[in-house]
Amino acid sequence: MKAVVVGGGAAGMTAASRIRRLQPTWRVEVYEETPYVSHAPCGIPYFVEGLVRDKDELITYSPEFFRKKRKIEVFTNSKVLKIDHKAKKLTVLNSGREREVSYDKLIIATGAKPFIPNPKWLEVEKVFTIRHIEDGVSIRKRISKDKEVVVVGAGYIGIELSEALRKLGKRVTLVEAMDQIMPMFDKEVALDIEEYMSKRGVKIRKGEKVVDISQRRNGVLVETEKGSYKADSVILAIGVKPNVDLALMAGARRGETGAIYVDDRMWTGVEDLYAAGDNVEVLNLVTGRRSYMPLAPLANKEGFVAGDNVAGGSLRFPGAVGSAITKFYSLEIGITGISEANARKLGFKVKSVYISHSSKAHYYPGSKWIKVKLVVEEGSKRVLGGQIIGLEGVWGRISALAIAIQNEVKVSDLFFADIPYAPPFSPVLDPLIVAARVAR
Ligand code: NAD
Protein backbone atom coordinates (compact mmCIF):
# COMPACT_ATOMS: atom_id res chain seq x y z
CA MET A 1 0.00 0.00 0.00
CA LYS A 2 1.26 3.47 -0.82
CA ALA A 3 0.04 6.74 0.68
CA VAL A 4 1.03 10.04 -0.88
CA VAL A 5 0.77 13.45 0.77
CA VAL A 6 0.85 16.65 -1.29
CA GLY A 7 2.26 19.49 0.80
CA GLY A 8 4.92 19.26 3.49
CA GLY A 9 3.63 21.88 5.93
CA ALA A 10 2.12 21.31 9.36
CA ALA A 11 -0.89 19.28 8.17
CA GLY A 12 0.99 17.26 5.55
CA MET A 13 3.93 16.17 7.71
CA THR A 14 1.67 15.36 10.66
CA ALA A 15 -0.52 13.23 8.38
CA ALA A 16 2.49 11.40 6.93
CA SER A 17 3.89 10.75 10.41
CA ARG A 18 0.57 9.38 11.67
CA ILE A 19 0.31 7.00 8.71
CA ARG A 20 3.85 5.78 9.34
CA ARG A 21 3.06 5.21 13.04
CA LEU A 22 -0.06 3.14 12.31
CA GLN A 23 1.21 1.37 9.20
CA PRO A 24 4.92 0.59 9.55
CA THR A 25 5.06 -1.39 6.30
CA TRP A 26 3.33 1.10 3.98
CA ARG A 27 5.29 3.32 1.64
CA VAL A 28 4.65 6.96 2.58
CA GLU A 29 5.73 9.78 0.22
CA VAL A 30 5.45 13.55 0.61
CA TYR A 31 5.78 16.01 -2.30
CA GLU A 32 6.64 19.60 -1.40
CA GLU A 33 7.14 22.50 -3.80
CA THR A 34 9.62 24.47 -1.65
CA PRO A 35 13.00 23.31 -0.27
CA TYR A 36 11.47 22.99 3.21
CA VAL A 37 9.07 20.76 5.07
CA SER A 38 7.69 21.16 8.57
CA HIS A 39 8.35 24.89 8.47
CA ALA A 40 6.85 27.48 10.82
CA PRO A 41 5.51 30.48 8.89
CA CYS A 42 4.11 31.86 12.17
CA GLY A 43 7.71 32.62 13.18
CA ILE A 44 8.47 34.86 10.20
CA PRO A 45 7.70 38.22 11.93
CA TYR A 46 10.11 37.24 14.72
CA PHE A 47 12.73 36.31 12.12
CA VAL A 48 12.26 39.69 10.41
CA GLU A 49 12.74 41.37 13.80
CA GLY A 50 15.96 39.41 14.37
CA LEU A 51 14.67 37.69 17.50
CA VAL A 52 15.01 34.43 15.58
CA ARG A 53 18.48 34.73 14.11
CA ASP A 54 18.74 31.89 11.64
CA LYS A 55 16.03 30.84 9.19
CA ASP A 56 16.83 27.19 9.90
CA GLU A 57 15.48 27.70 13.43
CA LEU A 58 12.02 28.04 11.82
CA ILE A 59 12.20 24.47 10.55
CA THR A 60 10.98 21.97 13.12
CA TYR A 61 12.33 18.87 11.37
CA SER A 62 14.46 18.56 8.23
CA PRO A 63 13.60 16.33 5.24
CA GLU A 64 16.53 14.10 6.35
CA PHE A 65 14.92 13.67 9.77
CA PHE A 66 11.74 12.37 8.16
CA ARG A 67 13.66 10.12 5.74
CA LYS A 68 15.98 8.61 8.34
CA LYS A 69 13.97 8.58 11.56
CA ARG A 70 10.44 8.13 10.26
CA LYS A 71 11.09 6.32 6.98
CA ILE A 72 8.96 8.84 5.12
CA GLU A 73 10.15 9.58 1.56
CA VAL A 74 10.20 13.36 1.35
CA PHE A 75 10.61 14.99 -2.09
CA THR A 76 11.33 18.72 -1.79
CA ASN A 77 11.49 21.19 -4.71
CA SER A 78 8.85 18.91 -6.21
CA LYS A 79 5.74 20.60 -7.49
CA VAL A 80 2.67 18.48 -8.15
CA LEU A 81 1.24 19.70 -11.47
CA LYS A 82 -1.60 17.27 -12.15
CA ILE A 83 -3.65 14.66 -10.38
CA ASP A 84 -5.58 11.90 -12.14
CA HIS A 85 -7.37 10.37 -9.19
CA LYS A 86 -9.26 7.81 -11.30
CA ALA A 87 -5.93 6.40 -12.48
CA LYS A 88 -4.42 7.13 -9.00
CA LYS A 89 -1.51 8.99 -10.57
CA LEU A 90 -0.02 12.41 -10.16
CA THR A 91 2.54 14.36 -12.19
CA VAL A 92 5.46 15.94 -10.37
CA LEU A 93 7.91 18.57 -11.65
CA ASN A 94 11.43 18.48 -10.19
CA SER A 95 14.52 20.20 -11.64
CA GLY A 96 12.71 20.84 -14.92
CA ARG A 97 11.71 17.18 -15.35
CA GLU A 98 8.21 15.77 -15.07
CA ARG A 99 7.50 12.29 -13.77
CA GLU A 100 4.46 10.25 -12.87
CA VAL A 101 3.87 8.94 -9.37
CA SER A 102 1.25 6.33 -8.52
CA TYR A 103 -0.53 5.96 -5.19
CA ASP A 104 -3.31 4.11 -3.41
CA LYS A 105 -4.40 6.83 -0.99
CA LEU A 106 -3.93 10.58 -1.27
CA ILE A 107 -3.96 13.45 1.22
CA ILE A 108 -3.93 16.98 -0.12
CA ALA A 109 -2.45 19.47 2.33
CA THR A 110 -1.64 22.38 0.04
CA GLY A 111 -2.40 25.11 2.58
CA ALA A 112 -3.26 28.69 1.67
CA LYS A 113 -1.69 31.53 -0.26
CA PRO A 114 -1.66 35.26 0.47
CA PHE A 115 -4.66 37.09 -0.94
CA ILE A 116 -3.49 39.51 -3.65
CA PRO A 117 -6.23 41.71 -5.15
CA ASN A 118 -4.01 42.64 -8.11
CA PRO A 119 -1.04 40.45 -9.21
CA LYS A 120 0.62 43.55 -10.71
CA TRP A 121 1.28 44.80 -7.17
CA LEU A 122 3.81 42.03 -6.69
CA GLU A 123 5.75 43.16 -9.77
CA VAL A 124 6.55 46.41 -7.96
CA GLU A 125 10.01 46.32 -6.43
CA LYS A 126 9.97 45.95 -2.65
CA VAL A 127 6.36 44.85 -2.29
CA PHE A 128 6.32 41.71 -0.16
CA THR A 129 3.91 39.08 1.08
CA ILE A 130 4.50 36.63 3.91
CA ARG A 131 3.96 32.93 3.58
CA HIS A 132 7.23 31.06 3.24
CA ILE A 133 10.50 31.30 5.10
CA GLU A 134 12.12 32.74 1.95
CA ASP A 135 9.74 35.71 2.17
CA GLY A 136 11.12 36.47 5.63
CA VAL A 137 14.70 36.11 4.38
CA SER A 138 14.00 38.45 1.48
CA ILE A 139 12.25 41.07 3.66
CA ARG A 140 14.99 41.06 6.30
CA LYS A 141 17.69 41.52 3.66
CA ARG A 142 15.99 44.03 1.41
CA ILE A 143 14.39 46.41 3.92
CA SER A 144 17.44 46.76 6.15
CA LYS A 145 18.18 50.35 5.03
CA ASP A 146 14.56 51.42 4.58
CA LYS A 147 13.09 54.12 6.77
CA GLU A 148 9.41 54.17 5.78
CA VAL A 149 7.38 50.98 5.54
CA VAL A 150 3.67 50.63 4.79
CA VAL A 151 1.99 47.50 6.13
CA VAL A 152 -1.34 46.77 4.40
CA GLY A 153 -3.87 44.87 6.55
CA ALA A 154 -4.25 45.23 10.32
CA GLY A 155 -4.91 41.55 11.03
CA TYR A 156 -2.60 39.12 12.77
CA ILE A 157 0.41 39.42 10.46
CA GLY A 158 -0.01 43.20 10.21
CA ILE A 159 0.13 43.57 14.00
CA GLU A 160 3.08 41.21 14.43
CA LEU A 161 5.07 42.82 11.61
CA SER A 162 4.36 46.33 12.87
CA GLU A 163 6.09 45.38 16.11
CA ALA A 164 9.05 43.87 14.26
CA LEU A 165 9.43 46.92 12.03
CA ARG A 166 9.15 49.44 14.89
CA LYS A 167 11.79 47.51 16.81
CA LEU A 168 14.03 47.77 13.73
CA GLY A 169 13.58 51.53 13.91
CA LYS A 170 11.32 51.92 10.85
CA ARG A 171 8.50 54.41 10.52
CA VAL A 172 5.40 52.25 10.11
CA THR A 173 2.05 53.13 8.55
CA LEU A 174 -0.56 50.42 9.02
CA VAL A 175 -3.40 50.69 6.50
CA GLU A 176 -6.66 48.82 7.11
CA ALA A 177 -9.73 48.64 4.86
CA MET A 178 -12.29 48.18 7.65
CA ASP A 179 -13.26 50.95 10.06
CA GLN A 180 -11.31 49.25 12.86
CA ILE A 181 -8.06 47.33 13.19
CA MET A 182 -8.26 43.58 13.97
CA PRO A 183 -11.79 43.22 12.51
CA MET A 184 -12.24 39.81 14.14
CA PHE A 185 -12.39 41.65 17.49
CA ASP A 186 -15.19 43.92 18.67
CA LYS A 187 -14.75 47.63 18.14
CA GLU A 188 -14.11 48.68 21.76
CA VAL A 189 -11.38 46.04 22.13
CA ALA A 190 -9.86 47.02 18.78
CA LEU A 191 -9.82 50.65 19.92
CA ASP A 192 -7.82 49.71 23.02
CA ILE A 193 -5.34 47.82 20.83
CA GLU A 194 -5.17 50.79 18.46
CA GLU A 195 -4.45 53.22 21.29
CA TYR A 196 -1.61 51.05 22.55
CA MET A 197 -0.12 50.70 19.05
CA SER A 198 -0.40 54.42 18.31
CA LYS A 199 1.49 55.22 21.52
CA ARG A 200 4.32 53.04 20.23
CA GLY A 201 4.57 55.01 17.04
CA VAL A 202 2.50 53.06 14.51
CA LYS A 203 0.56 55.43 12.25
CA ILE A 204 -2.81 53.75 11.83
CA ARG A 205 -5.07 54.53 8.88
CA LYS A 206 -8.48 52.81 9.20
CA GLY A 207 -11.31 52.67 6.69
CA GLU A 208 -8.83 52.98 3.84
CA LYS A 209 -8.95 50.12 1.39
CA VAL A 210 -5.80 49.92 -0.68
CA VAL A 211 -6.80 50.18 -4.33
CA ASP A 212 -3.44 50.46 -6.07
CA ILE A 213 0.27 50.02 -5.53
CA SER A 214 2.78 51.34 -8.05
CA GLN A 215 6.47 52.00 -8.59
CA ARG A 216 7.75 55.54 -8.16
CA ARG A 217 11.22 56.89 -8.75
CA ASN A 218 12.22 56.73 -5.09
CA GLY A 219 10.07 53.95 -3.77
CA VAL A 220 6.54 52.68 -3.78
CA LEU A 221 3.23 54.55 -3.82
CA VAL A 222 0.29 53.00 -1.96
CA GLU A 223 -3.05 54.46 -2.98
CA THR A 224 -6.15 54.00 -0.85
CA GLU A 225 -9.73 55.10 -1.34
CA LYS A 226 -8.90 58.21 0.70
CA GLY A 227 -5.27 59.10 0.14
CA SER A 228 -1.81 57.94 -0.82
CA TYR A 229 1.34 56.96 1.04
CA LYS A 230 4.93 56.95 -0.14
CA ALA A 231 7.13 54.17 1.23
CA ASP A 232 10.51 52.53 0.75
CA SER A 233 8.83 49.15 1.00
CA VAL A 234 5.36 47.67 1.42
CA ILE A 235 4.24 44.47 3.11
CA LEU A 236 0.87 43.01 2.16
CA ALA A 237 -0.88 41.13 4.96
CA ILE A 238 -4.48 41.17 3.76
CA GLY A 239 -5.50 37.61 4.48
CA VAL A 240 -5.13 34.25 2.77
CA LYS A 241 -7.06 32.12 0.29
CA PRO A 242 -7.17 28.33 0.39
CA ASN A 243 -5.07 26.53 -2.25
CA VAL A 244 -7.84 24.39 -3.67
CA ASP A 245 -6.79 23.74 -7.29
CA LEU A 246 -5.17 20.32 -6.86
CA ALA A 247 -7.91 19.01 -4.57
CA LEU A 248 -10.56 20.14 -7.09
CA MET A 249 -8.59 18.50 -9.90
CA ALA A 250 -8.61 15.26 -7.92
CA GLY A 251 -12.41 15.41 -7.59
CA ALA A 252 -12.94 17.06 -4.19
CA ARG A 253 -15.49 19.87 -3.94
CA ARG A 254 -15.59 23.29 -2.35
CA GLY A 255 -17.70 23.83 0.73
CA GLU A 256 -19.79 26.91 1.46
CA THR A 257 -16.76 29.00 2.43
CA GLY A 258 -14.89 28.28 -0.81
CA ALA A 259 -12.36 26.04 0.94
CA ILE A 260 -12.37 22.26 0.38
CA TYR A 261 -15.22 20.36 2.00
CA VAL A 262 -14.19 17.50 4.31
CA ASP A 263 -16.14 15.53 6.88
CA ASP A 264 -14.95 14.96 10.45
CA ARG A 265 -12.53 12.26 9.23
CA MET A 266 -11.02 14.83 6.84
CA TRP A 267 -12.48 12.79 3.99
CA THR A 268 -13.49 14.69 0.86
CA GLY A 269 -16.29 12.27 -0.04
CA VAL A 270 -14.19 10.81 -2.90
CA GLU A 271 -12.78 7.36 -2.23
CA ASP A 272 -9.17 7.40 -0.98
CA LEU A 273 -9.00 11.21 -1.17
CA TYR A 274 -8.48 13.24 2.02
CA ALA A 275 -7.54 16.87 2.69
CA ALA A 276 -6.30 18.75 5.74
CA GLY A 277 -4.89 22.13 6.80
CA ASP A 278 -5.35 25.66 5.49
CA ASN A 279 -7.05 24.39 2.29
CA VAL A 280 -10.12 22.95 4.06
CA GLU A 281 -13.11 24.29 5.97
CA VAL A 282 -14.24 22.84 9.29
CA LEU A 283 -17.21 22.98 11.59
CA ASN A 284 -17.45 26.03 13.83
CA LEU A 285 -18.59 24.63 17.16
CA VAL A 286 -20.14 27.93 18.27
CA THR A 287 -22.21 28.75 15.19
CA GLY A 288 -22.81 25.20 13.97
CA ARG A 289 -21.82 26.40 10.49
CA ARG A 290 -18.90 25.51 8.27
CA SER A 291 -16.06 27.92 8.74
CA TYR A 292 -12.64 28.71 7.24
CA MET A 293 -10.06 28.88 10.04
CA PRO A 294 -6.53 28.83 8.62
CA LEU A 295 -4.71 28.49 11.93
CA ALA A 296 -1.59 26.42 12.67
CA PRO A 297 -2.82 24.35 15.67
CA LEU A 298 -5.89 23.27 13.70
CA ALA A 299 -3.80 22.32 10.66
CA ASN A 300 -1.65 20.06 12.84
CA LYS A 301 -4.68 18.32 14.36
CA GLU A 302 -6.48 17.99 11.03
CA GLY A 303 -3.35 16.38 9.56
CA PHE A 304 -3.25 13.95 12.46
CA VAL A 305 -6.89 12.98 11.90
CA ALA A 306 -6.47 12.66 8.12
CA GLY A 307 -3.41 10.42 8.53
CA ASP A 308 -5.18 8.35 11.16
CA ASN A 309 -8.17 7.67 8.91
CA VAL A 310 -6.07 6.98 5.83
CA ALA A 311 -4.16 4.40 7.87
CA GLY A 312 -7.34 2.65 9.02
CA GLY A 313 -7.99 4.54 12.28
CA SER A 314 -11.26 6.14 13.32
CA LEU A 315 -10.31 9.52 14.83
CA ARG A 316 -12.79 12.35 14.32
CA PHE A 317 -12.06 16.08 14.14
CA PRO A 318 -14.88 17.65 16.14
CA GLY A 319 -14.56 21.19 14.80
CA ALA A 320 -13.14 24.29 16.42
CA VAL A 321 -14.16 27.48 18.19
CA GLY A 322 -11.56 29.72 16.52
CA SER A 323 -9.03 30.62 19.21
CA ALA A 324 -6.08 32.84 18.41
CA ILE A 325 -3.51 34.91 20.24
CA THR A 326 -0.90 37.45 19.27
CA LYS A 327 1.00 40.36 20.77
CA PHE A 328 2.23 43.84 20.02
CA TYR A 329 5.18 44.76 22.27
CA SER A 330 3.85 43.96 25.77
CA LEU A 331 0.20 43.91 24.79
CA GLU A 332 -1.14 40.36 24.65
CA ILE A 333 -4.23 39.94 22.48
CA GLY A 334 -6.41 36.82 22.59
CA ILE A 335 -9.75 35.76 21.16
CA THR A 336 -11.92 32.64 21.23
CA GLY A 337 -15.39 31.86 19.94
CA ILE A 338 -17.24 34.59 18.07
CA SER A 339 -17.30 38.34 18.55
CA GLU A 340 -20.44 40.23 19.52
CA ALA A 341 -20.63 41.86 16.08
CA ASN A 342 -20.30 38.51 14.34
CA ALA A 343 -22.84 36.89 16.66
CA ARG A 344 -25.41 39.60 15.85
CA LYS A 345 -24.67 39.29 12.13
CA LEU A 346 -25.41 35.56 12.41
CA GLY A 347 -28.73 36.23 14.15
CA PHE A 348 -27.78 35.35 17.74
CA LYS A 349 -29.40 37.46 20.48
CA VAL A 350 -26.51 38.33 22.78
CA LYS A 351 -25.43 40.46 25.71
CA SER A 352 -21.85 41.38 26.43
CA VAL A 353 -19.59 42.77 29.14
CA TYR A 354 -16.14 44.32 28.89
CA ILE A 355 -14.41 44.63 32.26
CA SER A 356 -11.04 45.98 33.42
CA HIS A 357 -9.08 44.27 36.15
CA SER A 358 -5.52 43.45 37.16
CA SER A 359 -3.38 40.43 36.46
CA LYS A 360 -2.29 39.82 40.11
CA ALA A 361 -3.54 40.65 43.60
CA HIS A 362 -3.53 44.47 43.93
CA TYR A 363 -0.90 44.42 46.70
CA TYR A 364 1.47 42.09 44.87
CA PRO A 365 4.27 43.96 43.05
CA GLY A 366 4.15 44.14 39.27
CA SER A 367 0.44 43.71 38.72
CA LYS A 368 -0.60 44.74 35.19
CA TRP A 369 -3.89 45.77 33.57
CA ILE A 370 -6.04 43.20 31.80
CA LYS A 371 -9.46 43.50 30.13
CA VAL A 372 -11.98 40.75 29.46
CA LYS A 373 -14.92 40.84 27.07
CA LEU A 374 -17.53 38.07 27.23
CA VAL A 375 -20.30 37.48 24.70
CA VAL A 376 -23.25 35.56 26.13
CA GLU A 377 -26.34 34.26 24.34
CA GLU A 378 -29.60 35.56 25.81
CA GLY A 379 -31.91 32.81 26.98
CA SER A 380 -29.49 29.88 26.94
CA LYS A 381 -26.82 31.95 28.78
CA ARG A 382 -24.21 30.05 26.80
CA VAL A 383 -20.86 31.81 26.44
CA LEU A 384 -20.32 32.32 22.70
CA GLY A 385 -17.07 34.22 22.71
CA GLY A 386 -14.40 36.05 24.61
CA GLN A 387 -11.68 38.57 23.94
CA ILE A 388 -8.91 39.28 26.41
CA ILE A 389 -6.18 41.91 26.13
CA GLY A 390 -3.63 42.97 28.69
CA LEU A 391 -0.02 43.26 29.66
CA GLU A 392 0.23 39.72 31.04
CA GLY A 393 -1.75 36.55 31.69
CA VAL A 394 -3.84 36.50 28.52
CA TRP A 395 -2.81 33.09 27.15
CA GLY A 396 -3.92 31.08 30.19
CA ARG A 397 -7.22 32.87 30.56
CA ILE A 398 -8.16 32.73 26.87
CA SER A 399 -7.22 29.02 26.90
CA ALA A 400 -9.53 28.35 29.86
CA LEU A 401 -12.27 30.24 28.08
CA ALA A 402 -11.70 28.30 24.83
CA ILE A 403 -12.22 25.00 26.64
CA ALA A 404 -15.32 26.39 28.34
CA ILE A 405 -16.81 27.58 25.05
CA GLN A 406 -15.94 24.32 23.29
CA ASN A 407 -17.92 22.55 26.03
CA GLU A 408 -20.90 24.90 25.75
CA VAL A 409 -20.49 26.27 29.25
CA LYS A 410 -23.12 28.66 30.61
CA VAL A 411 -21.99 31.93 32.11
CA SER A 412 -23.08 30.85 35.62
CA ASP A 413 -20.87 27.75 35.33
CA LEU A 414 -18.01 29.96 34.23
CA PHE A 415 -18.46 32.03 37.40
CA PHE A 416 -18.13 28.83 39.44
CA ALA A 417 -15.18 27.52 37.40
CA ASP A 418 -12.70 26.35 40.02
CA ILE A 419 -9.57 27.97 38.62
CA PRO A 420 -6.56 28.34 40.93
CA TYR A 421 -5.44 31.46 42.76
CA ALA A 422 -2.37 32.87 44.47
CA PRO A 423 -1.44 36.59 44.63
CA PRO A 424 1.45 36.40 42.08
CA PHE A 425 -0.91 34.90 39.46
CA SER A 426 -4.28 36.59 39.82
CA PRO A 427 -6.57 38.59 42.07
CA VAL A 428 -8.60 36.35 44.40
CA LEU A 429 -11.46 36.58 41.95
CA ASP A 430 -9.81 36.20 38.59
CA PRO A 431 -10.66 38.70 35.80
CA LEU A 432 -12.37 35.85 33.93
CA ILE A 433 -14.53 35.02 36.95
CA VAL A 434 -15.37 38.69 37.51
CA ALA A 435 -16.42 39.04 33.86
CA ALA A 436 -18.67 35.98 34.27
CA ARG A 437 -20.16 37.40 37.47
CA VAL A 438 -20.96 40.71 35.78
CA ALA A 439 -22.36 38.93 32.71
CA ARG A 440 -24.69 36.78 34.83
P1 NAD B 1 -6.02 38.55 8.54
O1 NAD B 1 -7.25 37.99 7.98
O2 NAD B 1 -5.68 38.33 9.96
O3 NAD B 1 -6.02 40.15 8.30
C1 NAD B 1 -6.15 40.73 7.03
C2 NAD B 1 -6.54 42.20 7.18
O4 NAD B 1 -6.40 42.86 5.93
C3 NAD B 1 -8.00 42.37 7.60
O5 NAD B 1 -8.04 43.23 8.70
C4 NAD B 1 -8.67 42.97 6.36
O6 NAD B 1 -9.75 43.80 6.66
C5 NAD B 1 -7.50 43.74 5.74
N1 NAD B 1 -7.63 44.03 4.30
C6 NAD B 1 -8.08 43.20 3.32
N2 NAD B 1 -8.00 43.81 2.10
C7 NAD B 1 -7.48 45.04 2.30
C8 NAD B 1 -7.13 46.14 1.43
N3 NAD B 1 -7.29 46.09 0.10
N4 NAD B 1 -6.62 47.26 1.99
C9 NAD B 1 -6.41 47.32 3.35
N5 NAD B 1 -6.71 46.31 4.20
C10 NAD B 1 -7.22 45.17 3.69
O7 NAD B 1 -4.83 38.01 7.60
P2 NAD B 1 -3.24 38.07 7.75
O8 NAD B 1 -2.82 39.01 8.82
O9 NAD B 1 -2.76 38.29 6.36
O10 NAD B 1 -2.87 36.60 8.20
C11 NAD B 1 -3.03 35.51 7.31
C12 NAD B 1 -3.63 34.31 8.03
O11 NAD B 1 -2.72 33.78 8.96
C13 NAD B 1 -4.90 34.65 8.78
O12 NAD B 1 -5.86 33.68 8.53
C14 NAD B 1 -4.49 34.65 10.22
O13 NAD B 1 -5.53 34.18 11.06
C15 NAD B 1 -3.30 33.69 10.24
N6 NAD B 1 -2.32 34.14 11.24
C16 NAD B 1 -2.59 33.92 12.55
C17 NAD B 1 -1.68 34.34 13.51
C18 NAD B 1 -1.96 34.08 14.96
O14 NAD B 1 -2.94 33.41 15.27
N7 NAD B 1 -1.12 34.60 15.86
C19 NAD B 1 -0.51 34.98 13.15
C20 NAD B 1 -0.28 35.21 11.80
C21 NAD B 1 -1.19 34.80 10.86
Side-chain angles (χ1 to χ4, degrees):
M1 190 66 80
K2 177 169 160 187
V4 164
V5 178
V6 183
M13 294 319 297
T14 311
S17 301
R18 184 67 184 155
I19 298 171
R20 166 56 65 242
R21 170 61 62 97
L22 295 183
Q23 296 289 355
T25 60
W26 284 17
R27 185 169 171 86
V28 183
E29 293 180 356
V30 178
Y31 291 88
E32 163 58 42
E33 186 179 353
T34 71
Y36 312 104
V37 293
S38 191
H39 52 93
C42 310
I44 293 173
Y46 310 104
F47 172 78
V48 170
E49 183 184 323
L51 204 59
V52 177
R53 285 167 162 237
D54 194 323
K55 70 176 168 52
D56 292 341
E57 291 172 46
L58 296 178
I59 296 161
T60 316
Y61 296 116
S62 65
E64 289 69 39
F65 169 87
F66 285 103
R67 286 182 201 121
K68 289 200 179 116
K69 297 269 184 223
R70 299 206 178 149
K71 307 276 179 269
I72 294 169
E73 295 308 316
V74 175
F75 298 91
T76 50
N77 300 308
S78 298
K79 185 177 168 120
V80 174
L81 302 174
K82 275 186 272 176
I83 299 177
D84 180 350
H85 191 62
K86 283 207 177 82
K88 299 254 179 97
K89 272 191 183 127
L90 44 83
T91 308
V92 183
L93 176 70
N94 173 262
S95 310
R97 290 216 338 252
E98 287 186 20
R99 71 180 172 98
E100 282 200 336
V101 173
S102 64
Y103 60 85
D104 298 299
K105 291 171 187 284
L106 185 64
I107 298 178
I108 302 191
T110 41
K113 55 180 171 242
F115 169 59
I116 309 293
N118 183 345
K120 286 223 162 96
W121 295 359
L122 289 184
E123 289 166 18
V124 177
E125 215 182 304
K126 288 198 163 179
V127 173
F128 304 96
T129 57
I130 291 212
R131 193 63 192 167
H132 293 294
I133 290 173
E134 293 305 340
D135 301 326
V137 173
S138 168
I139 292 172
R140 192 153 105 177
K141 195 153 73 190
R142 295 181 57 211
I143 67 159
S144 63
K145 297 205 171 72
D146 292 354
K147 294 193 168 69
E148 194 82 49
V149 184
V150 168
V151 177
V152 185
Y156 288 98
I157 296 182
I159 299 288
E160 291 166 5
L161 267 177
S162 295
E163 175 181 349
L165 294 166
R166 287 298 297 147
K167 284 188 173 159
L168 291 171
K170 316 286 179 203
R171 287 193 294 270
V172 178
T173 306
L174 181 60
V175 185
E176 166 59 48
M178 308 294 280
D179 61 357
Q180 65 172 81
I181 63 165
M182 298 294 271
M184 53 301 271
F185 286 69
D186 284 314
K187 243 181 203 148
E188 64 275 33
V189 185
L191 274 174
D192 283 335
I193 302 170
E194 182 181 335
E195 190 187 322
Y196 184 92
M197 291 183 74
S198 301
K199 278 190 190 147
R200 274 143 198 88
V202 178
K203 280 176 272 169
I204 294 175
R205 299 286 176 264
K206 300 178 291 186
E208 291 201 33
K209 187 171 176 185
V210 170
V211 290
D212 201 21
I213 298 178
S214 54
Q215 195 84 59
R216 286 296 188 265
R217 217 177 318 145
N218 295 319
V220 188
L221 189 74
V222 176
E223 288 172 79
T224 74
E225 287 163 327
K226 291 185 184 160
S228 58
Y229 304 93
K230 195 77 192 307
D232 299 313
S233 45
V234 174
I235 301 177
L236 299 175
I238 53 180
V240 291
K241 285 180 80 159
N243 268 328
V244 295
D245 296 352
L246 285 176
L248 294 178
M249 194 186 290
R253 68 179 170 91
R254 287 178 197 266
E256 61 196 76
T257 66
I260 295 299
Y261 173 87
V262 284
D263 69 5
D264 56 0
R265 299 159 55 228
M266 310 312 292
W267 182 48
T268 61
V270 175
E271 206 179 342
D272 295 328
L273 181 62
Y274 293 73
D278 286 0
N279 53 341
V280 306
E281 60 176 36
V282 294
L283 180 68
N284 184 317
L285 292 170
V286 179
T287 64
R289 294 179 181 210
R290 314 273 306 166
S291 184
Y292 182 53
M293 303 186 202
L295 295 161
L298 301 182
N300 275 278
K301 291 173 207 165
E302 290 161 13
F304 194 83
V305 171
D308 188 90
N309 282 281
V310 162
S314 57
L315 261 186
R316 305 262 164 178
F317 183 79
V321 295
S323 308
I325 188 159
T326 189
K327 77 182 248 310
F328 178 84
Y329 282 81
S330 298
L331 183 66
E332 302 173 356
I333 304 164
I335 187 166
T336 183
I338 55 175
S339 67
E340 181 177 0
N342 201 11
R344 289 191 197 284
K345 235 184 267 162
L346 291 168
F348 288 96
K349 286 204 164 55
V350 292
K351 288 228 157 90
S352 72
V353 295
Y354 188 35
I355 64 118
S356 299
H357 208 343
S358 52
S359 61
K360 307 177 195 292
H362 70 274
Y363 51 82
Y364 193 87
S367 184
K368 310 266 169 53
W369 70 265
I370 184 163
K371 288 177 112 173
V372 178
K373 170 152 185 169
L374 283 184
V375 182
V376 179
E377 186 176 31
E378 280 181 39
S380 77
K381 301 276 189 263
R382 184 162 70 109
V383 184
L384 300 183
Q387 295 152 55
I388 308 182
I389 61 170
L391 299 184
E392 71 176 3
V394 170
W395 185 86
R397 290 174 174 107
I398 207 77
S399 299
L401 197 52
I403 297 169
I405 291 174
Q406 191 158 349
N407 288 285
E408 299 188 16
V409 158
K410 292 189 170 135
V411 71
S412 50
D413 297 327
L414 187 60
F415 173 66
F416 287 113
D418 187 12
I419 57 177
Y421 154 74
F425 301 102
S426 81
V428 67
L429 281 186
D430 190 84
L432 197 53
I433 303 298
V434 172
R437 187 182 66 194
V438 178
R440 280 176 88 212

